[in-house]
Amino acid sequence: AQSVTQLDSQVPVFEEAPVELRCNYSSSVSVYLFWYVQYPNQGLQLLLKYLSGSTLVKGINGFEAEFNKSQTSFHLRKPSVHISDTAEYFCAVTPSNTGKLIFGQGTTLQVKP
Amino acid sequence: EAGVVQSPRYKIIEKKQPVAFWCNPISGHNTLYWYLQNLGQGPELLIRYENEEAVDDSQLPKDRFSAERLKGVDSTLKIQPAELGDSAVYLCASSLFGQGGGDTQYFGPGTRLTVL
């Protein structure tokens, strides 16, 4: 079975500061990794995903994530956040032979002016 | 291109009443998913369709929940009868292909259900 742990439920940060949202996963099989963002009253939008190849993945809106197989982590980073980045962020995995997304509990990013 | 469409966006019902949610996926997407999102939690898969076939419904509470995807396009999720604990957001998603796992899933805005 697979599981995803997002280590911080809330991350407050000032505008233009860097941010890291942490994600660890557990799986006995190979997985693909995803980060989704959810703005209030909206559906989830894909930020980035790791399937294979380079462990540093760049996504939309200036976000990037690094896959670390030995530490089973997939942390999300942004060097300088904006007020508009305030949202809920979800890390998810899917076993490489299925389409079933398994989500973490989410991290609320609160960007303060 | 149009995204995943869901209706209604909000629904308030009394417990023991039936309720249905509708989803129209992105045109050409073969795979359709229904997720349940409780407050403060990540979405959890209820059912996954490959065209008309439900290929994973292991998490669907079949005593009260049912789903269909006639003609392999739009889909309906039904709850009968609804219970207080069913209050949540029901998300629909679609992807071009489900097999392989790496396909991007595109989510609709969800239906927020409140059971009184």
Side-chain angles (χ1 to χ4, degrees):
Chain A
Q2 293 75 35
S3 65
V4 178
T5 302
Q6 292 185 241
L7 298 166
D8 306 291
S9 59
Q10 294 187 350
V11 174
V13 63
F14 286 106
E15 193 173 20
E16 298 183 7
V19 71
E20 178 179 79
L21 306 184
R22 297 179 294 167
C23 173
N24 286 93
Y25 69 93
S26 173
S27 178
S28 58
V29 300
S30 297
V31 294
Y32 297 135
L33 299 127
F34 303 79
W35 274 99
Y36 279 85
V37 60
Q38 187 175 33
Y39 299 103
N41 297 318
Q42 294 186 29
L44 282 76
Q45 179 183 5
L46 180 70
L47 279 175
L48 49 80
K49 63 182 178 181
Y50 173 79
L51 303 184
S52 65
S54 173
T55 56
L56 183 63
V57 182
K58 294 189 182 297
I60 63 171
N61 301 340
F63 284 93
E64 63 181 31
E66 186 155 20
F67 170 54
N68 188 319
K69 187 174 182 179
S70 63
Q71 297 187 7
T72 60
S73 67
F74 191 53
H75 301 332
L76 181 71
R77 303 185 184 99
K78 186 170 183 178
S80 175
V81 295
H82 303 290
I83 295 289
S84 59
D85 292 322
T86 295
E88 190 79 12
Y89 291 79
F90 291 96
C91 180
V93 302
T94 183
S96 56
N97 60 344
T98 78
K100 181 176 181 177
L101 274 174
I102 298 159
F103 287 88
Q105 292 188 311
T107 296
T108 302
L109 177 62
Q110 302 165 321
V111 182
K112 304 176 180 180
Chain B
E1 102 188 339
V4 176
V5 179
Q6 291 188 247
S7 68
R9 290 294 312 276
Y10 304 91
K11 188 74 176 179
I12 301 174
I13 61 171
E14 299 281 336
K15 64 180 181 181
K16 300 186 181 179
Q17 294 300 306
V19 65
F21 315 123
W22 177 80
C23 172
N24 192 39
I26 293 173
S27 178
H29 280 194
N30 295 328
T31 307
L32 184 146
Y33 314 77
W34 282 103
Y35 288 87
L36 166 68
Q37 186 177 20
N38 286 306
L39 187 65
Q41 302 291 321
E44 299 173 32
L45 181 70
L46 287 173
I47 189 168
R48 175 166 67 100
Y49 282 94
E50 297 281 350
N51 298 304
E52 303 90 356
E53 183 183 359
V55 296
D56 183 356
D57 64 356
S58 57
Q59 300 297 108
L60 189 72
K62 297 181 184 63
D63 56 336
R64 297 184 301 108
F65 286 66
S66 64
E68 60 183 12
R69 191 185 184 197
L70 301 177
K71 301 180 182 179
V73 181
D74 56 350
S75 176
T76 302
L77 178 69
K78 298 178 181 177
I79 308 175
Q80 183 171 10
E83 298 179 351
L84 295 176
D86 296 331
S87 294
V89 176
Y90 292 82
L91 294 166
C92 180
S94 70
S95 66
L96 194 57
F97 301 107
Q99 293 181 351
D103 226 18
T104 297
Q105 294 185 26
Y106 296 85
F107 285 80
T111 296
R112 183 178 297 276
L113 174 67
T114 301
V115 182
L116 304 176

